Amino acid sequence: MRIPIQINENSAEPLYHQIESQLRSLIISGQIEEGTLLPSIREFAGNLNCSVITVRRVYQDLEGEGLLRTRQGTGTFVAGVGDLAREQYKRDAVVDALRTAVDKGLAVQVSEEELTVLFMEVIREKYKSQGGL
């Protein structure tokens, strides 16, 4: 299975964190379904052109969160994610992004009203381009 992870070599964010956060999103959003066998650590590292140690750390962290489970001799599988956990993750991801946007607005001295107008413009633009999800 090819997992759609995008690595940004120019990002200040550590490689393992980029991989981990994207894989977590794919699992929690249901894009990678419960029970899916993930590539071996070595195979995944080869696909991403990164070290085996990096992928091992990602798998261990996500297993610690209960999102993955490893069966000796069989491989690493996606664990079940409950609806409550899925909704909480979605909410947390959006709130984090909004906090970052507000921080940027404060840093460049945009007023609350201006930020609200800009936010609504972006919402309309994005939802219109997505067909009004």
Side-chain angles (χ1 to χ4, degrees), residues 33-47:
E33 296 178 0
E34 177 180 351
T36 299
L37 174 64
L38 296 181
S40 70
I41 290 171
R42 189 172 308 285
E43 180 185 352
F44 199 20
N47 291 343

Side-chain angles (χ1 to χ4, degrees), residues 21-42:
S21 62
Q22 290 179 57
L23 185 54
R24 181 183 298 110
S25 290
L26 291 166
I27 293 168
I28 292 180
S29 70
Q31 293 176 61
I32 300 177
E33 296 178 0
E34 177 180 351
T36 299
L37 174 64
L38 296 181
S40 70
I41 290 171
R42 189 172 308 285

Side-chain angles (χ1 to χ4, degrees), residues 66-79:
L67 296 177
L68 299 178
R69 64 180 186 281
T70 301
R71 286 193 225 133
Q72 199 63 27
T74 308
T76 301
F77 297 85
V78 174

Side-chain angles (χ1 to χ4, degrees), residues 24-25 28 65 83-100:
R24 181 183 298 110
S25 290
I28 292 180
E65 290 178 29
D83 290 341
L84 186 61
R86 183 172 286 116
E87 290 307 313
Q88 186 63 45
Y89 176 79
K90 286 181 186 178
R91 184 184 185 289
D92 291 348
V94 171
V95 168
D96 285 347
L98 290 172
R99 283 193 173 115
T100 299

Side-chain angles (χ1 to χ4, degrees), residues 6-61:
Q6 301 293 318
I7 304 295
N8 180 353
E9 302 285 342
N10 300 319
S11 175
E13 183 180 24
L15 185 60
Y16 84 90
H17 193 265
Q18 290 182 49
I19 297 167
E20 185 177 299
S21 62
Q22 290 179 57
L23 185 54
R24 181 183 298 110
S25 290
L26 291 166
I27 293 168
I28 292 180
S29 70
Q31 293 176 61
I32 300 177
E33 296 178 0
E34 177 180 351
T36 299
L37 174 64
L38 296 181
S40 70
I41 290 171
R42 189 172 308 285
E43 180 185 352
F44 199 20
N47 291 343
L48 296 172
N49 294 318
C50 70
S51 79
V52 168
I53 294 167
T54 299
V55 174
R56 181 178 296 122
R57 181 176 177 185
V58 168
Y59 278 19
Q60 287 172 341
D61 287 355

